[in-house]
Amino acid sequence: MSIKLIATDLDGTLLMPDHVTVSDENIAAMKAAAENGIRIVIASGRTLEVFPFGIKKLKFLSYALMSNGASMIAFDYPGTGEAMTHSPITEMPYDIWEPVYRKMAEAGTEPEIYALGKSFMDRKRSDSYASSLI
């Protein structure tokens, strides 16, 4: 059986401790795999808005599953290198997610809402991502 797809998380896996940089070794390994027909997929809790700038420049990526599976993008680099599609996978109705969000906030967690292709989070948490925005 041959490998057809490699999926990797970002934080604590693909990215270096700065949570922004991909090492040259990881780039070379993923590029070699892609050149051998293996699809490279990012799977992350992050949204596209807080993906490190360098991730979008990896022209061998096939897909990114984001927002803990709530959305995905398909990279289409063979043509212009700029095109990609972005679509929400599903959206949970307000009356289901709002009580969960409220309980999480009351418990002192940092909940994040993904709706209409955007991520909504507490301003303090959002600002912590500022250095790695695309």
Side-chain angles (χ1 to χ4, degrees):
M1 180 181 344
S2 64
I3 297 172
K4 298 190 185 317
L5 183 141
I6 295 172
T8 182
D9 184 28
L10 293 176
D11 298 300
T13 307
L14 181 64
L15 298 177
M16 296 179 74
D18 66 2
H19 296 279
V20 176
T21 309
V22 181
S23 72
D24 291 340
E25 293 85 3
N26 281 342
I27 291 172
M30 291 186 301
K31 184 176 181 184
E35 288 170 351
N36 283 295
I38 298 171
R39 293 193 181 270
I40 307 298
V41 177
I42 301 296
S44 177
R46 291 188 185 205
T47 62
L48 182 61
E49 291 83 10
V50 293
F51 261 41
F53 180 73
I55 294 295
K56 188 177 177 185
K57 293 182 176 268
L58 301 177
K59 302 296 186 192
F60 47 79
L61 293 177
S62 298
Y63 301 96
L65 297 172
M66 303 169 301
S67 305
N68 294 314
S71 123
M72 76 92 149
I73 54 176
F75 296 98
D76 182 25
Y77 292 123
T80 65
E82 297 301 320
M84 61 183 175
T85 57
H86 178 232
S87 62
I89 293 173
T90 186
E91 293 197 14
M92 188 182 298
Y94 176 85
D95 63 330
I96 294 175
W97 68 257
E98 191 280 331
V100 175
Y101 178 91
R102 190 172 5 91
K103 290 281 187 193
M104 290 176 68
E106 290 168 1
T109 65
E110 297 179 351
E112 180 178 352
I113 301 297
Y114 181 84
L116 305 172
K118 298 267 184 207
S119 176
F120 301 91
M121 65 182 79
D122 178 82
R123 169 67 67 190
K124 182 178 173 185
R125 183 170 180 218
S126 176
D127 290 347
S128 72
Y129 286 111
S131 65
S132 66
L133 294 180
I134 294 175

